[in-house]
Amino acid sequence: PPTKKNYSLIAVLCLVGLIVLSGVVYSSTRKTPEGLLGMAKEHYQVGAYEKAVPLLLKAAKRKNIEAQNLLGLMYTTGLGVEADPKEGASWYRQSAEQGDATGEWNLGLMYHDGLGVERNFTEAIKWYESAAIKGYPNAQYSLAYMYSNGLGVALNYKEAAKWYQLAGDRGDIYAKAILWRMHGDGLL
């Protein structure tokens, strides 16, 4: 028959089982790309960039787009690694080729500025447009800038205004200001 002692033993065994199970779940979660990214971000946020890099590399090699973008930033700017814009562009490309709008915009910036890749406005526009179509406001602004300055495309204020308007509709106050100025200057 059950006794108070048996219930105590069962309770202890259940508690031990839960602790072991939670440790296994915690451990396995930390090994997923998302778990690795989470640990890397904890290091990144406190400035321990060198500790973040190996975790990001593991997550990025497993196609985690956020890790790829963060590595792109770190290699481009030299956070926790020796600055290597070519390596930065490579990580942005991996994210962009998975269809990530942030990666596409970042790769567009690399082509626009000639960082880690040969400067190529046509390639910049290709990546900006891909991200802009997905509704990424930074890319919409960048694409508008290209049209309003005739960089890699024919100067086209109407097309620039379209993209500035879309970026402004998504909260980009600079796009709104430029659009207002374009109207004031009689460009539209």
Side-chain angles (χ1 to χ4, degrees):
T3 64
K4 194 172 189 179
K5 191 174 185 180
N6 287 352
Y7 284 127
S8 296
L9 180 60
I10 291 171
V12 168
L13 289 174
C14 286
L15 184 58
V16 168
L18 286 173
I19 291 169
V20 169
L21 181 60
S22 67
V24 168
V25 170
Y26 178 78
S27 174
S28 65
T29 301
R30 298 300 245 182
K31 293 178 184 177
T32 65
E34 294 75 20
L36 293 164
L37 176 65
M39 289 189 305
K41 286 169 114 178
E42 289 172 12
H43 292 302
Y44 185 90
Q45 290 169 349
V46 296
Y49 306 119
E50 295 82 9
K51 291 182 179 180
V53 172
L55 297 167
L56 288 170
L57 285 167
K58 287 179 185 177
K61 287 176 182 175
R62 292 167 70 185
K63 303 202 180 290
N64 182 288
I65 55 177
E66 194 173 348
Q68 291 168 340
N69 277 308
L70 197 48
L71 280 170
L73 171 68
M74 292 174 81
Y75 275 102
T76 300
T77 60
L79 288 174
V81 293
E82 187 172 328
D84 183 352
K86 188 174 181 178
E87 183 72 11
S90 172
W91 285 112
Y92 287 142
R93 179 176 303 284
Q94 289 182 51
S95 173
E97 288 176 348
Q98 291 184 74
D100 176 60
T102 302
E104 292 170 340
W105 177 65
N106 283 322
L107 187 57
L109 289 174
M110 300 297 273
Y111 277 109
H112 181 247
D113 294 337
L115 284 171
V117 292
E118 188 173 325
R119 186 176 213 182
N120 185 327
F121 291 144
T122 303
E123 275 296 300
I125 289 169
K126 169 186 149 183
W127 292 109
Y128 288 159
E129 186 171 35
S130 183
I133 289 168
K134 293 174 181 149
Y136 194 70
N138 292 349
Q140 292 168 335
Y141 180 95
S142 296
L143 186 58
Y145 179 85
M146 301 298 272
Y147 278 108
S148 66
N149 289 282
L151 299 174
V153 291
L155 185 68
N156 187 333
Y157 293 124
K158 185 176 179 182
E159 189 69 13
K162 170 185 134 182
W163 291 108
Y164 280 133
Q165 182 66 54
L166 289 168
D169 290 346
R170 291 192 167 266
D172 188 317
I173 60 170
Y174 298 107
K176 289 179 182 181
I178 291 171
L179 192 56
W180 180 80
R181 176 83 188 257
M182 290 172 77
H183 280 289
D185 289 347
L187 299 174
L188 300 175

